[in-house]
Structures are given as C-alpha cells and as structure tokens.
Amino acid sequence: READPNLKIKRSWDLALGPFKQVPMNLFIMWMSGNTISIFPIMMVFMMMFRPFKTLFSVSQTFKGFEVAGTGVNFLGQKLVFILGNLALIALGMYKCHSMGLLPTHKSDWLAFADPLERAEFALGGLGFN
Amino acid sequence: MRELVVLMILMLGGSGVLGLYEDQAYKFDWRKQLIGKVEDLEFLAAGVDTAILVRTQKNVLAALDSDDGKLLWRHKFEDSAETGKILAIGRLNRNVVSVSGSSNIFLRLWEPLHGALVQEHFIKLASAPTHAHLVDNNLHFVFVKPNGMDIVTYTFDTKKFTEGSHKKVSTETTEVEKCVGLDNLLVCSTPSGLIYTQINSKEPSKAEMIPVADIQGSTLARRGTRIQVENSAGSVSTFKVENGKLVKQADITNIVSECPGVEVKQECSEWGTDSEGNKYCAQYADNILTRFKGEETTVKLASYRGKLEAVWSECGADPQAYQLILAFQDGGLVSVTPRGNIMFTREEGLTSVHKAEFVNIGFEDKSSTFGPLYLHHENMFDPATLAQNFINRMKRHILQLREFISSLIQLKFLEKNSAATLDRFGLNKMIVIATEHNKLYGMESISGKLMWQLYFPGRFTSAEGFESKSQAYLLIQRDGRAGGEAQAVLIYAHAHSVHHMMTFDPLTGKMISNEPLNMHLDQALLLPEFSDHEIKPILLVGKDGNVAVHPRAAAECLRSGPPLFVLSGPTNSKLVGSKVVPSQEGSGVSLVPVWSLVTPSTEIVSVKTRNPIERVHSAGRVLADRSVLFKYMNPNLALVAAQGTDSSAKLFLNIYLLDMVTGKVHYSATHKKVLGPYHTVHSENWAVYSFYNEKARRAELVSLEMYEGKTQTNATVFSSIENKVIPLVERQAYILPVSDVRALKETVTEQGITSKHLLIGSAVGNVLDLPLHLVDPRRPPLDTPAGMREPGIPPYIPELPMPHESIMNYNQTILGMKDILTSPSGLESTTLVFVHGLDLYGTRITPSKGFDLLKEDFDYIMISAVILGLVLASYITRKLAQKKMLTKAWK
C-alpha cells in the first residue's frame, strides 16, 4: 500500500492537536478534584502537569513515525502546535495549583528563605552595680 | 513543599493544651528541697530516731533526719521579716516551740514527728523586740531602749499564754547586737564587750560589762554550758557562769559544743590585711581538727567551705560516740562522726542563688580530640574547611569504633567516669550557679547533681528590692562546644578589697585566675564574638566613665568590628548612651557619651534587652490573606521600667521602649496605682510586663508587639542610626490568674522555629506554662465575624486561663520562687528550664510538642521485626515465583 502523503499529514495534524483535545477532559477532572489540599487532588494535579511536561521532551520521538528519510517534508508546524498544546496543559495545571494556593506568589511564601537580619551597630548595657 | 511544612509547623504552634502523661512524671525533671542556711539547731527525739530541728535564715522551720540529713518536714514562714522571721526555737515536753514575727508575735507548738501544729498563740507587742529567749515554758523578750533594756517574760503551754513579769535593766551602751541566754543569765554583745544580767529576778538591775577587744558581736553563741564570742582576728573567748557571774576561761581557745569534751578548731592557713589594715583570715585550712577526750581527729572536707561558723553536737546514750554538726560560711551543713568521717552534707547555700547560667557541655570526650571540633561558623561553606571538618569527623568515628571494640573485648563498657554525662542531643547542660554565700556550683541540668564547687571570697548585701541590682556578674566567655577549654568569668566584690575578676572553667570548676580590677566597677558586659577570637571579650565599664577590655588584645577587634554602644545609668533617673571608641594605637578604649535620657521624679527599676543568643526565624507574621505583616526587629531596643510616686502617695509605673544606640523613645506608657514587683520580658519583636494593679486588686500583664507594616524597608541590615521607621506598637492588657508573680520568662530555642511560651512563676509554688498566642495583642474582639478573625489566635477575653495541666511542675511545688532560667538545648523543640528559690527544680519542656522527636513509646522492636519479616517474605516469594516460572517453562 502506498502511504498517501496527505494521509500522513492529516495523521500528523491529528497528533499535533491531540493535547488540545485533552484540555476539556483535564478541566473536568480538575474541577472534580476540588480546591482542598489533600493527597488525591495533589496526585491528580501533579500527574496532569507531569505528563505534558514529559512529552515535551520527546517531541521528535513522537513524530519520528512520520519521518521518512529522504523526503524533505518536515513537520515543523505540527511540532509547534504539539508543543503549544502541551504548554496549554501545563498552564492548566498551573492554574489549578494557583487556585489551590500552592504557587508562591505572595510575600508570605518567601518568608522562610529570608536571611537573618544583620546588625550594623551593637548596643549593650543596663543597670550596673549599686 | 517547604512552604507546606512551614505552614504545618505554624499551625501546630496554635494548639494550647500541654500536659504530661502520667507515666512521664518524674522522668524529665528533678527537684531539690532545701531549707536555707541554718542559724540554730536542736536535737530532739522524734519517734524512735533522733531528729534535728533547725531554724534557718530563710524563715524556715524544719526537721532533718539525724542519720542522713533528709528532710522530715518543714514549714516556711512568710518572707517579710515582720511576720515570718523566726526569733527562737525550743522544746517543751514533747513538742517543739517556735517564736516568729516582730511586733506581732506568733508562738507555735509543733508535733516533732510530722510537724503538725498543736497550738498557736498570738500576742501583739508594743514594739519589735531585739531578742527573744526561750527557756522551758518561759519566753523572754528583750527590748533595747535608750536608757537600758526591758525584759518582758511570758509563760506558755499548750493551752494558754500569759504575760509574766517586766524587768528593767540599765546599761551604759545602747547598741546591742545579739543576745543569748545561759542558765539564768542573759548575755548580750555590744561593740565594746559583753553585758549580762539575771533574767529570772523581778527587780530592776544593772547589767554588768565584760570588755572584749575587737569583738565581733554577731559571733556570740551559747555552746553547751559556755558562751563563746570571736574577735575580728578570729580568736575565740570563752566564758562560763560561776555564782551568777560570767567568768572568762582563758584556757579554752577552740570552739566548744554542747557535748562536754568536744572541741573543734579550724586553722587559718593564710592571713591577709584588708584595706583598713586589719588582719583577717584569707584562707582557712582544708581540714577541721576535732578533739574529744584527749584524742584528736581530722575531718577532711571535700571542698573548701570558708569559715566554720557554728558547731552543734550531741552525745546520746553512748559516752564515746557523739554527732557533730558543722555549719560553714557557704551554707553547707556537714555532719561528722567521731572518727572524722562525714555522715551527710547539705548544700544549703543553693537557696540564695544570685546568678545562674547554662553552659553547653559539648558532645565529645575531651581526652580524644584532634584539636577544635569544627572550625568557625563564618567560613562554613569554604571548601577547605569543609574538607577539614569531614576528615576530622572521619577520624573521630574511627577512633570511637576502635575504642568501642576494645572496650567490648576488655568487658569494661560499664565504666562510668566522673565527667558529666555527655549526650548527643545537648539536653544536658552545666548550670553554673553563683550564690550569695560566696560559692560557685556546677550542676548538671539533667539530674541536678552537683559536679563541682568553687569558693570565692565575696561580699553580698541582702537587698530588699524587686530588681535588686547585681552584685556580681557571671559571664560565660566560651562554652564547651568549641572543643577547647571552656572559660567563664565571675566579677564580684571582694570581702576585704575591691572588685575582683575570677576566671574559671565552668565545666570542671577549675580556677584559672583571680585578680583584682583597679577600677570602680559599674558594669561588666560580654561583647559579641568576633570572627578571629573564639572567646567573647569582656568590656569593663567603670563608674567614672573609663572603660577597659579584657583580654586586652581584643581592643584590636573593636577597631575593626561594628560600632559598639554602651548604656549606663549613672543615677537612679538618668540613662546615658555612649559609644565605645578604641584608641588609635594601643589597647585603650574610651567612652564618648552620645545621648542621655532623664526620667524626672521616677526611679529606673529595670532595663531589659533581648537575649543575645536568640534567633528569630521569620521576619514577619503571615495574615489570613497571605500577606505579611513585617516585624519591627530592632536588636538595640531596651524595655525600661521606671517607678515613681504621684501626688496621692501611690506608685505609678512608666514603661519606655528605648533604642540604646540613638536614644529614641519609640513607645511610652504609664500605669497609675500599681505595686511592684515588676517583671519584664523582652524578646524578638514583643515585650511583656506584669505588675499588681492596686485599684482593681489583681495582677495584670501588658503585652506589646512592634510591627513595621506590610513592607520591609531593609531586609538585610538593621541600623538604628539610619532606620527611619516608626514602629506600630500593638498593645493589650490581660488579667493574670496568679496574684503574686515571682518570675516571668520566655522559652528560647536554638533556631527560633518553635513557638514561644511564657513561664509565669507564682509565690504559691507553681509555674504556669502559657502559650504566647494567648497574650497576643492582636486578639480580635469577641464580636468580629469569623471571616475577619486572624487564624490561630482566640478572640479577646481579659482573663488568662490557668488550666491545671499547663502547670509545668505538676505536683512538685517550688517554695519561695525567685527566678526562672531558660536555655536552648541541642534539639530545636526542647527548652531547658531551671527554677530556683528555696527549692531548685529543673526540667525540659517542648512548647511545640516535640516535633523533632520520635514519640516516647516508639516501637523499635515491632517495626524492625516487620521490616525483617517483609524482606524475608519478598525473598521467599521471589524464589517461589522463579521456581514456578521454571516449571512452567519446562512444560
């Protein structure tokens, strides 16, 4: 069977748009898990953030199946869209983290890292002997 | 994740109840019950054994077991001399009699075995008597009047108390120091000699005088059938009664006692001359010589105790045996057998603790170190020092392993050395105590055991005042953690000379040097550690403004270090801040006054600075909307309390928050119609002070907290001179559940992560452990809606709760509490506490419930058994599964 280049392009576009199709499902799952901090929501959120993160690193791996050596067809557009889709998933995870209050956006989150105050002058003394 | 942990820790700090479990009682704490320096002693029969009845300087009547010195019972009377001072003790039939008070006299009869009160009589005298003398069932009061002495006699028994006769005695002198009674004579000491008169006759008489040169009236004592008095050179004059007259016995020069034939002598090994040219004994001999029926025995004292002040003895049924009890200048009560062995020792000097400090022991045996344990903090991340520290540690572990193996082989792993028990977590610290009876003690904080004692020839005046000014400074220059020798300094007023500085090792009690300071000393301050000196130098400030640094080489560091400012109080109502200016070359330093503050018509009672070793972990306070309210952490702030009298003769209290560098007063408040004592606590960015509100008749506590606001001007460096921030001071007042506060202290930990608790010690004898969020000034009023309340702090009600499970010393009552000391331990969650007064108490508390500790009943055995079982099970299962796969593959 002859691999139809159009079919290939169509399939690669399907793959590229895959992450975008996952967005509504992720939205629903995150809405179900709630805003409290307990073990289950945190597990879900981090899983949902980690998976797109990992796939970001293996972009060329995913599109390898479509590459045919010799042909000058590059799938740059699809790769870009794929990356954008994964970034959107990560952004969704981040938004979830933010609404749970886990992102260190406020001053109180950096309080623990503050260095102790240095003293410019030293003062001593009090009441002495009679 | 880290923020989560911090948030969880902060929420943990919000919980309040902290009691001990029943099986934890007596495990972490210890208590020593003491009675005070013994002034008078009587032997009595209590049940089958003999007991020793004592009357002490601290207004305590107690009975001790005569064989081991243990306390049978004790009664502590009031601290004030007007009602509580015990004037005389005696015996009547089977009961014990005590006379206490001054112009209101209480005569009480007690049952000797358990100390139960049999009868109490009360009379009101016209004036305070100079002396009270008990003879059987007669009580004689001596009143010294301008023209002579009045002797009033009362008779009493268990049912009635009647006034007897009055008698007038004319004397030439009117200064009577001390009186004792012997047979029917009353003998009193005056500055020129002894006067005596008959007591039982009713007609007025004239006192007869025996001159004694250089008499020391306070040493007049009745010993058995003789009267002895010492002169300032230490030689003893003995008198006895012959035909109603007092006759001097020149042949007896040693101290005699009740038991006939017993003589005690303490020789002087070194004489000295004081500033007025009088001779005094600078060093007494270590041994006491006793002579009984011609035989001489030597009693060897374990530690030097100063002058032998009083001797009591008892010969019972056996004429050859006697029990000798010696009371020394340092408060020690030693009981000696006829052979010279010591039966028991009571360290009663510990009831007058003047200063106490915790010293880190360090966690390494001194004998096996390779130089300093770890190099200095400053360059901790330097690769060279890191490598060096690592190599040192490896060497230490290898050596320890070798020692352990060799000790196993030689089977001496139970050998206990006399050094303090070392522990890895720093829970055992050495408490160095300086008492008013001229003694330094080193006590382990984990068990209360005395490790060493050191005598110093000091002079203390007993002052009655709430924050009586220091009469000695105890400064720890270096503790045991650095691996080298620990060093501490005691600056005291010498009994016959000027101020002296004694340098000693606080962990072993070895004295290094004892030198006089040639300046009129006002303060001795411990300077912060400089990077090239491991030891903290001491700044000696004189009353006339001159200043010296000890050791002298440290003046170099002053030149290169940050500027130092010293606060001093030249008069009662003036505070002067000066800058320490090191001279250009040489090791001289001088003080240049920078600012002064005058509080007219008030007297400054206390100046409280922050604890120099405390660390603040968070720079601000997290509010409900996740913003931060930054703390105003000025390390140079001092809380000054000044007391004055207003126009209606009532006291008022002024409180100032003063910056010691610039002299700026950031906050001031006045409280009218108050009574002392005032206790202050100043820590981090908050301060707490307590007083007694006379108008409302309750003890109140005011809590202050200083905030900078929602933004921080400078997060790295705080400079008092350049800082323009005006702190927002939040304040709130609370009603204390205890009415007589004796001590107030906050807990302190190594890193400052643990929440702070306030320890409130009361006169009743309990120490309340109050979480600090209960005295938070930001507690919202009761009617704020739930959404606007700050999380973690309860709404405001003025009364502070006193749940009985929060009392730190559960049923170990501490009588006569004077002060509480807290110290960080090696663990972040634990604080070591030492309470002293008439009793001593030491414990450790965990304000945030021991978050870095494994729980007490951690099942080591079960967990290791389960792990072992699971590992075995997994191996066996793997083997079985492999076998199964193999058989399947063969099918």
Side-chain angles (χ1 to χ4, degrees):
Chain A
R1 286 160 319 156
E2 190 78 10
D4 192 2
N6 276 348
L7 200 61
K8 254 209 185 147
I9 291 177
K10 200 149 170 249
R11 280 252 30 227
S12 63
W13 273 112
D14 269 339
L15 196 60
L17 289 172
F20 281 107
K21 294 205 187 97
Q22 278 191 336
V23 169
M25 189 178 72
N26 273 11
L27 258 173
F28 182 66
I29 290 178
M30 286 190 182
W31 180 69
M32 287 293 287
S33 49
N35 266 354
T36 58
I37 298 181
S38 43
I39 193 72
F40 192 61
I42 291 185
M43 237 172 54
M44 306 268 17
V45 166
F46 280 126
M47 206 173 57
M48 305 217 153
M49 266 213 311
F50 249 44
R51 225 173 318 122
F53 205 65
K54 262 205 293 196
T55 52
L56 263 182
F57 284 118
S58 51
V59 177
S60 25
Q61 192 73 21
T62 0
F63 282 95
K64 207 152 165 210
F66 298 101
E67 294 276 344
V68 173
T71 55
V73 184
N74 64 345
F75 293 90
L76 202 59
Q78 289 91 320
K79 281 190 189 164
L80 222 61
V81 172
F82 186 69
I83 289 173
L84 276 173
N86 278 322
L87 285 176
L89 280 174
I90 292 178
L92 190 66
M94 282 283 178
Y95 171 72
K96 182 70 186 160
C97 279
H98 174 71
S99 58
M100 278 210 279
L102 290 178
L103 290 184
T105 45
H106 294 259
K107 271 228 187 79
S108 53
D109 300 314
W110 300 102
L111 202 56
F113 299 107
D115 289 321
L117 217 51
E118 228 181 85
R119 288 173 78 159
E121 304 99 11
F122 280 84
L124 319 149
L127 301 176
F129 279 126
N130 328 17
Chain B
M1 222 36 212
R2 174 153 179 175
E3 292 77 14
L4 261 178
V5 174
V6 172
L7 193 66
M8 284 195 313
I9 289 173
L10 286 174
M11 288 195 310
L12 268 175
S15 48
V17 175
L18 21 83
L20 286 179
Y21 289 110
E22 191 185 331
D23 54 353
Q24 284 181 322
Y26 316 123
K27 270 220 260 182
F28 305 130
D29 58 351
W30 51 268
R31 174 175 71 155
K32 275 190 191 329
Q33 285 186 302
L34 302 168
I35 50 179
K37 190 164 167 192
V38 172
E39 287 186 335
D40 204 1
L41 192 148
E42 287 232 1
F43 286 86
L44 46 81
V48 185
D49 310 308
T50 41
I52 302 172
L53 181 76
V54 290
R55 160 176 82 95
T56 73
Q57 203 187 39
K58 294 269 171 189
N59 301 350
V60 171
L61 180 73
L64 307 171
D65 184 291
S66 62
D67 289 324
D68 50 13
K70 287 223 174 27
L71 201 60
L72 290 176
W73 51 265
R74 69 175 173 175
H75 288 288
K76 179 179 185 308
F77 299 135
E78 296 85 347
D79 279 330
S80 78
E82 279 165 25
T83 39
K85 187 163 157 60
I86 308 178
L87 299 173
I89 52 175
R91 271 177 297 166
L92 177 66
N93 305 331
R94 274 179 341 190
N95 293 331
V96 165
V97 186
S98 81
V99 179
S100 58
S102 63
S103 47
N104 299 328
I105 295 284
F106 288 92
L107 183 123
R108 296 185 173 108
L109 288 114
W110 311 88
E111 190 262 320
L113 190 55
H114 298 293
L117 184 66
V118 171
Q119 179 64 270
E120 179 181 284
H121 299 291
F122 171 71
I123 43 158
K124 211 164 155 50
L125 300 175
S127 62
T130 327
H131 172 70
H133 178 51
L134 272 174
V135 177
D136 290 336
N137 65 336
N138 291 323
L139 172 61
H140 305 279
F141 284 115
V142 178
F143 298 89
V144 175
K145 293 275 183 345
N147 53 350
M149 292 195 298
D150 278 349
I151 302 180
V152 182
T153 313
Y154 291 85
T155 10
F156 64 91
D157 61 11
T158 54
K159 303 236 172 356
K160 57 189 187 326
F161 189 45
T162 50
E163 186 164 331
S165 52
H166 283 246
K167 183 184 156 85
K168 276 203 180 325
V169 177
S170 59
T171 59
E172 279 128 25
T173 57
T174 50
E175 287 170 40
V176 167
E177 208 172 318
K178 194 175 165 189
C179 292
V180 294
L182 174 61
D183 293 346
N184 289 322
L185 288 185
L186 179 77
V187 182
C188 298
S189 65
T190 60
S192 51
L194 295 176
I195 57 174
Y196 66 92
T197 177
Q198 289 267 354
I199 241 185
N200 52 355
S201 60
K202 294 205 173 58
E203 339 40 76
S205 61
K206 187 169 178 349
E208 310 204 12
M209 157 86 118
I210 296 185
V212 177
D214 277 337
I215 190 175
Q216 284 213 311
S218 52
T219 57
L220 177 70
R222 176 217 157 146
R223 301 210 169 105
T225 51
R226 293 184 183 77
I227 299 235
Q228 289 191 317
V229 72
E230 284 181 35
N231 66 353
S232 52
S235 58
V236 176
S237 315
T238 318
F239 301 87
K240 76 171 188 188
V241 177
E242 249 173 47
N243 300 333
K245 288 202 178 309
L246 209 60
V247 167
K248 185 174 164 114
Q249 279 196 297
D251 51 335
I252 299 184
T253 49
N254 299 334
I255 300 176
V256 293
S257 184
E258 286 92 352
C259 191
V262 171
E263 281 182 18
V264 180
K265 186 173 171 66
Q266 184 186 37
E267 285 182 351
C268 185
S269 58
E270 202 182 300
W271 291 96
T273 340
D274 67 3
S275 44
E276 287 157 21
N278 302 332
K279 211 165 73 137
Y280 69 95
C281 187
Q283 179 90 5
Y284 290 94
D286 274 339
N287 305 334
I288 309 280
L289 300 165
T290 59
R291 198 183 296 158
F292 181 60
K293 295 199 171 141
E295 270 180 44
E296 229 184 63
T297 34
T298 320
V299 177
K300 214 165 153 43
L301 296 173
S303 60
Y304 182 70
R305 290 185 182 274
K307 182 172 184 298
L308 175 66
E309 286 191 342
V311 168
W312 297 282
S313 67
E314 193 214 20
C315 338
D318 188 356
Q320 292 300 322
Y322 63 93
Q323 182 178 10
L324 191 65
I325 298 192
L326 311 165
F328 289 92
Q329 191 187 10
D330 71 338
L333 194 70
V334 179
S335 168
V336 174
T337 63
R339 300 254 301 266
N341 301 327
I342 296 191
M343 275 166 69
F344 66 81
T345 315
R346 279 193 75 95
E347 299 286 349
E348 297 298 340
L350 289 170
T351 53
S352 315
V353 173
H354 189 71
K355 284 274 159 77
E357 291 280 344
F358 277 86
V359 181
N360 271 308
I361 293 180
F363 46 82
E364 200 50 59
D365 194 6
K366 293 288 179 298
S367 58
S368 63
T369 40
F370 296 91
L373 205 54
Y374 53 81
L375 299 175
H376 211 268
H377 280 293
E378 298 249 338
N379 34 11
M380 201 159 77
F381 290 115
D382 184 22
T385 47
L386 270 180
Q388 186 70 17
N389 285 341
F390 183 68
I391 291 172
N392 274 351
R393 188 176 171 160
M394 284 285 114
K395 280 193 208 163
R396 255 197 352 261
H397 284 308
I398 292 171
L399 194 71
Q400 275 178 352
L401 189 65
R402 216 189 310 154
E403 265 181 32
F404 179 64
I405 293 174
S406 70
S407 71
L408 272 183
I409 292 172
Q410 296 175 33
L411 287 177
K412 56 176 173 77
F413 44 77
L414 285 177
E415 179 181 288
K416 254 187 157 68
N417 51 353
S418 64
T421 52
L422 308 158
D423 65 326
R424 274 204 59 214
F425 294 118
L427 291 169
N428 188 19
K429 285 199 177 185
M430 183 73 79
I431 307 176
V432 180
I433 297 174
T435 66
E436 289 178 2
H437 294 297
N438 304 343
K439 206 82 183 285
L440 274 168
Y441 295 93
M443 184 186 279
E444 263 193 349
S445 72
I446 212 170
S447 58
K449 191 167 77 142
L450 282 178
M451 304 300 293
W452 53 265
Q453 304 180 15
L454 184 60
Y455 178 82
F456 64 92
R459 169 182 27 112
F460 288 91
T461 51
S462 55
E464 297 278 330
F466 352 105
E467 294 256 353
S468 54
K469 291 196 181 177
S470 304
Q471 297 182 51
Y473 280 99
L474 181 63
L475 305 168
I476 311 289
Q477 286 187 288
R478 181 170 54 203
D479 57 22
R481 273 186 299 197
E485 287 274 320
Q487 192 173 313
V489 151
L490 176 74
I491 297 178
Y492 62 95
H494 196 276
H496 301 274
S497 173
V498 296
H499 289 292
H500 275 235
M501 174 154 70
M502 175 189 273
T503 317
F504 63 98
D505 180 340
L507 300 179
T508 56
K510 193 173 63 137
M511 183 169 87
I512 298 173
S513 70
N514 188 1
E515 358 168 284
L517 300 170
N518 45 4
M519 55 159 60
H520 195 70
L521 196 65
D522 182 36
Q523 292 180 68
L525 305 165
L526 201 60
L527 295 175
E529 217 170 275
F530 296 121
S531 52
D532 34 349
H533 281 98
E534 256 181 28
I535 202 167
K536 296 185 188 171
I538 297 176
L539 191 73
L540 299 161
V541 180
K543 277 213 195 295
D544 41 2
N546 57 352
V547 79
V549 182
H550 173 91
R552 300 188 73 80
E556 291 277 325
C557 303
L558 283 183
R559 230 167 278 151
S560 52
L564 276 175
F565 290 82
V566 167
L567 177 76
S568 57
T571 68
N572 259 347
S573 52
K574 185 173 179 184
L575 284 176
V576 170
S578 332
K579 184 165 168 178
V580 174
V581 172
S583 60
Q584 294 296 54
E585 49 310 293
S587 55
V589 264
S590 58
L591 281 182
V592 173
V594 173
W595 57 266
S596 74
L597 176 92
V598 178
T599 54
S601 69
T602 55
E603 177 196 326
I604 293 177
V605 169
S606 82
V607 173
K608 201 63 173 273
T609 52
R610 283 167 50 176
N611 194 341
I613 55 172
E614 79 171 1
R615 275 183 60 168
V616 187
H617 193 251
S618 69
R621 195 191 170 122
V622 180
L623 301 175
D625 58 353
R626 294 172 70 184
S627 62
V628 180
L629 188 61
F630 284 99
K631 299 179 185 173
Y632 177 73
M633 283 190 299
N634 185 344
N636 307 320
L637 214 57
L639 183 72
V640 179
Q643 174 191 267
T645 316
D646 65 6
S647 49
S648 56
K650 298 269 187 195
L651 295 171
F652 66 90
L653 176 72
N654 279 352
I655 294 278
Y656 308 101
L657 276 174
L658 184 73
D659 184 317
M660 292 201 286
V661 170
T662 54
K664 258 195 278 197
V665 175
H666 289 293
Y667 171 79
S668 70
T670 308
H671 296 276
K672 297 200 178 31
K673 296 197 178 60
V674 295
L675 275 184
Y678 314 112
H679 296 282
T680 53
V681 169
H682 181 202
S683 165
E684 287 182 10
N685 69 327
W686 54 269
V688 148
Y689 57 94
S690 80
F691 52 87
Y692 184 78
N693 187 338
E694 233 188 327
K695 196 162 156 210
R697 288 193 203 101
R698 59 195 183 201
E700 293 186 351
L701 185 88
V702 177
S703 145
L704 303 169
E705 256 189 76
M706 286 149 279
Y707 290 104
E708 222 178 276
K710 293 280 179 101
T711 55
Q712 208 175 19
T713 44
N714 192 333
T716 45
V717 174
F718 186 91
S719 159
S720 289
I721 300 173
E722 293 159 5
N723 196 321
K724 297 279 180 290
V725 173
I726 302 174
L728 308 159
V729 182
E730 311 239 9
R731 60 174 188 236
Q732 189 64 273
Y734 295 91
I735 301 174
L736 281 173
V738 295
S739 61
D740 191 357
V741 176
R742 286 295 173 87
L744 201 60
K745 208 60 186 255
E746 85 280 11
T747 62
V748 61
T749 53
E750 199 74 39
Q751 308 281 336
I753 301 176
T754 323
S755 51
K756 282 192 182 270
H757 280 208
L758 207 58
L759 297 171
I760 304 176
S762 69
V764 184
N766 52 18
V767 176
L768 179 64
D769 187 356
L770 206 65
L772 208 61
H773 63 84
L774 285 177
V775 294
D776 197 334
R778 293 174 59 86
R779 276 172 77 167
L782 277 166
D783 52 359
T784 48
M788 303 232 309
R789 288 192 189 169
E790 215 174 289
I793 49 178
Y796 174 70
I797 42 170
E799 290 90 4
L800 287 174
M802 184 163 167
H804 54 267
E805 65 265 13
S806 285
I807 295 180
M808 187 183 78
N809 54 338
Y810 46 104
N811 72 342
Q812 310 276 63
T813 313
I814 304 161
L815 290 181
M817 202 183 304
K818 216 158 101 171
D819 203 5
I820 302 177
L821 253 89
T822 53
S823 158
S825 71
L827 292 171
E828 172 54 31
S829 63
T830 319
T831 304
L832 304 173
V833 179
F834 174 60
V835 184
H836 63 84
L838 190 65
D839 296 339
L840 300 177
Y841 181 74
T843 182
R844 46 184 138 116
I845 57 173
T846 50
S848 292
K849 304 255 196 67
F851 55 84
D852 57 0
L853 295 169
L854 285 177
K855 62 186 173 104
E856 277 242 305
D857 46 356
F858 190 76
D859 256 332
Y860 292 99
I861 297 177
M862 193 183 88
I863 289 183
S864 34
V866 165
I867 289 178
L868 212 63
L870 284 175
V871 164
L872 278 172
S874 66
Y875 265 118
I876 293 172
T877 325
R878 194 169 92 138
K879 280 271 170 345
L880 286 174
Q882 279 176 344
K883 217 169 24 166
K884 190 166 178 177
M885 280 224 305
L886 197 61
T887 49
K888 205 155 109 171
W890 273 114
K891 281 215 178 86

